[in-house]
Amino acid sequence: MHGFILAAVCLTLATPWSAWGALPSADVERRVEALLRRMTVAEKLGQLQQLDGEAEGAARPEHFDLARQGRLGSVLNVRGARRVNELQKAAVEGSRLNIPILFGFDVIHGYRTVFPIPLAEAASFDPAVAQRDAAVAADEASAAGVRWTFAPMVDIARDARWGRIAEGSGEDPYLGSALARARVQGFQGLDYSAPDKVLACAKHWAAYGAAEAGRDYNTTEVSESTLRNVYFPPFRAAVQAGVGTFMSALNDLGGVPSSANPFTLTQVLRKEWGFDGFVVSDYTSVQELIAHGFVADGSEAARKALSAGVDMEMVSRLYGEHGPALFKAKRLSEKVLDEAVRRILRVKFRAGLFERPYADEAREKFLLSSENLRAAREAAGRSMVLLRNKDGVLPLAKDLDVLAVIGPLAEDKAALLGAWTGDGRAQDAVSILDGIRAAVSPKTQVMFARGCEVQGGGSEGIAQALEIARKSRAVILVLGEGPDMSGEASSRSDIGLPGRQLELARRLAALGLPTAVVLVNGRPLALTGLAEATLALLEAWQPGTQGGPAVADVLFGGVNPGGKLPATFPRSVGQEPLYYNHKSTGRPTDETNKYTSKYLDVPSSPLYPFGYGLSYTDFVLSDLSLSAGSIPVDGRLKVSVQVENNGRRAGDEVVQLYIRDLAASVARPVRELKGFQRVSLAPGEARVVEFELGPEELGFYALDGRFQVEPGRFHLFVGDSSVGGLEASFMVLPRGS
Ligand code: GLC
């Protein structure tokens, strides 16, 4: 074996990265079996164990001991090329079988260069943005010795109270699937053994985002039909994109925890989808089976989780502690153990860990390059959504004599990064205040006041803010959430602007100055009061390391915002969960008819719907055309529409195609996104945009779990959001008609 590794290492050094190729699968399987046959039970259980490093990236002494014993399959949070290589050396050169450790880390939206949060990337409606962001993140993370990221998070989220909506692609399965594919391809490339790529991980399997009341970690009650039609598609897209691992979730699904759920982990993921990578549990989620009240003790937790299909245990140690006794008592077959080890070894071989176990320490100095920062700035600009622009307040002139920048988030750098910042540092970020200062002409005097705190705070700041506003020609007001108000364990029962920010906005609005509000936040907010008070509203999300320059690019017109909402903004938190692809019900909302589905105290419509976003120019859609009035169940329908820029600025429009199946064996949503294209048009330019609908778009999972297209009448809508648009209808006819 040593001779083989030496030969492989020589090959590695001589192999240019571009020529790097995945090991043939037959070769991988052969090597897996050969290694598996040589392993003891203790070594096999060791491969199933992932332990946690120190928060800042150091390994622990215990890790070295276990590595030399060949009993540590993976670690998370250990990073830094030199540190990784030190621990890796203990495993590769110190253990009996030389099996490398897999180093994992949460690289969710950047490693050192932090990109916009994934929800913002989704708002670009441009998967290429997410793919490039992930590719840059993989390049930086791999330079630091990271070989595996616990991303993409592909959970569908329909409730904005849930803090982790920030980490995913919002409420729609079609958009979520497109982003899932893009991120997997960005992280892994075509071959995740390449030195600048990392193994990806689709999480959290499954339906973690359906947490009741939007409260993180809460139970979920989701029908199989809704699982298959709403929550599963982005995971399936990740499998089709070749994702190497899955992470089982912390929540229970109707009382069966996702980290011990045979239906999701084996029936769907393995038998139906043919996934052959491995599943890692979420952080102590195997141990938490006890707290769920699903098992009585650690032995049962280990038995149920491993049997159900959780291959690697993150941080808790029940597999190692209880495995030997379970096998000895024949309460758990060693075949189950071997299959879990097989999956992990298979992925390690595919990741090139045996040929290239060590990080190239020379690469680590190229983090935060100007090229990466430029990518982050462009991604942030493409992700912003213009929600309101009354009287054309935006874009602002760059040469105003006095400009007031106000708000608790104007100079806050950490807030720009959001949650899960990898090894990103707030001090690397450019604040919105500094971005504005750098963008305006030298003769413009920029005055700043916080006005209030994000949460709490007295009124003296408001008086000071009003004072500088009165001296200015325009006001930029930067409001929103702190970085710790979204992400994991950060659900909010009230999703309005926190603290006294709305009061500040209203007092400033009363001055009658041209005022633009920039929002920095990690979730849809309930903005009713703010929208009424302000003329211009720009959703900047948590835009990352280059957030300041990117916001300035949009505010002063260097970038014309073209993003659209990937999640619905409600009028009130009381409407949550609120999403566009809802069922019709037997009494569809009619605000004029009491006995229909609605509230007494707030309109049932959202404040800003899914797919909505304005531009500094205007677009007109026309000439909707269908290739036929009817198609057979296995047929295809071509749809075309003309989009024209009839304003004075170049800009992007996201043309969106929705369908509605009017009668099906399971009631389907009033709209389902089945196509989108972001097009850039010069002033006066028109273009025909084409879509195609086939069984993949028209079909759905019926109650028997089968995917099918059912004959009947369909409506289709083509527009610039999930509301309105050009309409048409067509028939789907039975086979052979
Ligand atoms: C956390 C999160 C998961 C993350 C893991 C490792 O609990 O749920 O998304 O990847 O632990 O940090």
Side-chain angles (χ1 to χ4, degrees):
M1 193 60 164
H2 288 291
F4 179 84
I5 287 180
L6 186 61
V9 167
C10 295
L11 179 67
T12 307
L13 296 176
T15 306
W17 289 0
S18 56
W20 199 267
L23 290 167
S25 57
D27 186 34
V28 166
E29 296 309 311
R30 181 181 55 73
R31 294 170 72 183
V32 166
E33 295 309 320
L35 189 48
L36 190 60
R37 279 196 294 274
R38 300 173 57 204
M39 296 173 75
T40 65
V41 168
E43 288 165 334
K44 289 176 182 176
L45 286 168
Q47 284 304 306
L48 310 192
Q49 182 68 68
Q50 179 183 66
L51 292 178
D52 195 1
E54 302 287 358
E56 90 293 338
R60 302 174 196 273
E62 179 194 23
H63 296 161
F64 289 88
D65 298 340
L66 290 171
R68 279 188 279 272
Q69 298 167 43
R71 290 174 53 209
L72 183 58
S74 174
V75 289
L76 74 150
N77 293 324
V78 174
R79 61 210 185 269
R82 182 181 49 77
R83 284 175 173 152
V84 163
N85 288 344
E86 281 170 0
L87 180 57
Q88 190 66 293
K89 188 177 172 73
V92 170
E93 299 173 30
S95 72
R96 185 175 77 89
L97 294 174
N98 322 111
I99 300 174
I101 291 169
L102 184 56
F103 289 82
F105 187 50
D106 290 282
V107 185
I108 311 302
H109 54 110
Y111 176 72
R112 176 59 55 80
T113 303
V114 179
F115 287 87
I117 55 172
L119 188 63
E121 291 173 334
S124 73
F125 274 72
D126 179 0
V129 167
Q131 182 163 342
R132 182 172 70 164
D133 296 359
V136 171
D139 186 52
E140 291 194 343
S142 58
V146 174
R147 300 294 284 264
W148 180 23
T149 178
F150 305 124
M153 185 274 216
V154 299
D155 298 306
I156 292 293
R158 297 174 138 181
D159 193 321
R161 292 172 291 181
W162 190 52
R164 302 198 78 167
I165 192 171
E167 301 173 44
S169 299
E171 69 195 43
D172 180 70
Y174 185 88
L175 179 63
S177 299
L179 273 295
R181 277 189 290 274
R183 289 191 177 112
V184 168
Q185 288 156 3
F187 285 125
Q188 295 189 163
L190 295 175
D191 162 21
Y192 53 80
S193 70
D196 61 342
K197 292 301 177 187
V198 294
L199 171 66
C201 181
K203 72 184 187 182
H204 306 80
W205 182 241
Y208 176 35
E212 205 164 82
R215 198 171 76 237
D216 206 0
Y217 313 129
N218 202 3
T219 185
T220 68
E221 289 289 351
V222 191
S223 69
E224 182 174 339
S225 167
T226 299
L227 281 175
R228 289 183 179 278
N229 289 302
V230 176
Y231 291 93
F232 285 1
F235 286 96
R236 187 154 181 262
V239 171
Q240 290 167 337
V243 72
T245 65
F246 262 51
M247 181 184 291
S248 65
L250 296 161
N251 59 293
D252 73 274
L253 272 174
V256 180
S258 295
S259 291
N261 193 311
F263 169 66
T264 52
L265 291 163
T266 297
Q267 171 56 33
V268 175
L269 186 57
R270 303 289 179 180
K271 293 182 177 173
E272 292 181 23
W273 295 357
F275 176 66
D276 71 354
F278 75 82
V279 176
V280 63
S281 77
D282 200 340
Y283 204 98
T284 68
S285 65
V286 173
Q287 172 95 27
E288 292 172 16
L289 298 178
I290 299 169
H292 273 287
F294 185 69
V295 296
D297 55 34
S299 175
E300 267 303 276
R303 187 180 69 80
K304 284 198 171 182
L306 190 53
S307 307
V310 176
D311 305 305
M312 182 182 281
E313 184 177 3
M314 183 187 284
V315 176
S316 55
R317 305 183 189 213
L318 301 179
Y319 287 6
E321 285 170 21
H322 298 283
L326 286 167
F327 303 136
K328 189 173 177 189
K330 304 264 184 269
R331 298 191 62 246
L332 189 58
S333 140
E334 280 205 39
K335 278 176 56 183
V336 171
L337 171 63
D338 286 354
E339 182 54 25
V341 177
R342 181 174 290 116
R343 292 163 177 168
I344 291 167
L345 293 179
R346 175 182 297 138
V347 171
K348 287 188 173 183
F349 276 113
R350 288 176 177 168
L353 267 177
F354 289 84
E355 284 70 26
R356 187 174 54 82
Y358 299 113
D360 173 357
E361 296 181 22
R363 286 182 63 209
E364 205 165 9
K365 54 178 175 289
F366 299 118
L367 307 184
L368 218 64
S369 67
S370 54
E371 183 188 356
N372 292 357
L373 291 171
R374 186 165 50 250
R377 180 169 178 170
E378 288 170 3
R382 279 184 82 74
S383 305
M384 291 182 200
V385 184
L386 183 62
L387 297 175
R388 186 176 167 81
N389 193 23
K390 199 163 179 310
D391 305 340
V393 168
L394 292 177
L396 291 170
K398 284 188 170 183
D399 57 358
L400 296 171
D401 47 6
V402 183
L403 177 63
V405 178
I406 295 168
L409 295 173
E411 58 178 356
D412 188 322
K413 296 184 175 185
L416 299 179
L417 305 188
W420 294 111
T421 55
D423 265 340
R425 299 173 302 196
Q427 63 262 36
D428 294 334
V430 179
S431 72
I432 290 173
L433 176 60
D434 287 343
I436 291 167
R437 283 186 168 133
V440 297
S441 76
K443 79 180 189 62
T444 298
Q445 182 191 357
V446 176
M447 303 174 74
F448 167 66
R450 287 179 69 83
C452 66
E453 296 311 312
V454 171
Q455 301 184 82
S459 60
E460 62 287 347
I462 293 180
Q464 187 195 8
L466 291 169
E467 189 182 330
I468 73 157
R470 289 191 187 94
K471 298 172 184 168
S472 68
R473 300 289 299 277
V475 175
I476 295 170
L477 181 53
V478 186
L479 306 172
E481 295 179 312
D484 54 355
M485 298 176 74
S486 58
E488 184 172 359
S490 304
S491 296
R492 292 178 64 204
S493 68
D494 175 355
I495 55 173
L497 277 177
R500 306 179 63 145
Q501 297 183 69
L502 182 54
E503 179 188 352
L504 172 65
R506 283 177 167 146
R507 300 281 297 278
L508 285 166
L511 299 179
L513 288 159
T515 301
V517 171
V518 177
L519 287 170
V520 176
N521 47 296
R523 60 159 53 80
L525 297 174
L527 299 171
T528 302
L530 180 67
E532 289 157 359
T534 187
L535 295 175
L537 198 47
L538 175 67
E539 177 55 76
W541 309 107
Q542 288 155 337
T545 305
Q546 285 288 291
V551 166
D553 288 343
V554 173
L555 288 175
F556 299 105
V559 168
N560 182 354
K564 301 285 185 176
L565 293 181
T568 299
F569 278 49
R571 299 172 186 278
S572 153
V573 68
Q575 293 177 279
E576 293 297 321
L578 186 66
Y579 46 93
Y580 87 93
N581 46 358
H582 60 79
K583 300 289 195 314
S584 173
T585 78
R587 297 191 175 187
T589 301
D590 172 353
E591 301 298 345
T592 64
N593 177 344
K594 178 176 176 57
Y595 297 97
T596 63
S597 183
K598 66 184 184 305
Y599 300 96
L600 289 176
D601 53 356
V602 68
S604 298
S605 60
L607 183 64
Y608 299 116
F610 175 86
Y612 168 84
L614 301 176
S615 169
Y616 293 152
T617 186
D618 296 308
F619 296 97
V620 174
L621 295 183
S622 61
D623 301 338
L624 174 62
S625 165
L626 279 58
S627 57
S630 64
I631 57 171
V633 285
D634 56 355
R636 306 191 71 77
L637 184 71
K638 291 187 188 303
V639 180
S640 69
V641 70
Q642 177 174 282
V643 53
E644 180 180 359
N645 176 351
N646 69 357
R648 295 196 306 276
R649 281 176 176 272
D652 289 9
E653 178 59 286
V654 178
V655 182
Q656 302 157 51
L657 168 68
Y658 297 87
I659 65 166
R660 180 180 182 183
D661 182 347
L662 291 170
S665 57
V666 179
R668 293 181 68 177
V670 294
R671 287 200 185 202
E672 296 176 63
L673 181 69
K674 295 297 180 184
F676 62 86
Q677 292 183 39
R678 177 165 177 162
V679 293
S680 300
L681 297 174
E685 182 182 2
R687 189 174 308 164
V688 173
V689 175
E690 293 182 341
F691 299 97
E692 190 166 301
L693 294 173
E696 188 59 28
E697 290 77 26
L698 299 175
F700 75 112
Y701 287 92
L703 285 183
D704 61 3
R706 282 186 313 108
F707 186 83
Q708 60 197 32
V709 179
E710 294 184 359
R713 176 168 296 282
F714 281 71
H715 280 168
L716 70 80
F717 312 84
V718 180
D720 59 4
S721 86
S722 59
V723 174
L726 303 175
E727 287 192 42
S729 67
F730 61 96
M731 288 298 291
V732 172
L733 304 174
R735 196 179 302 276
S737 55

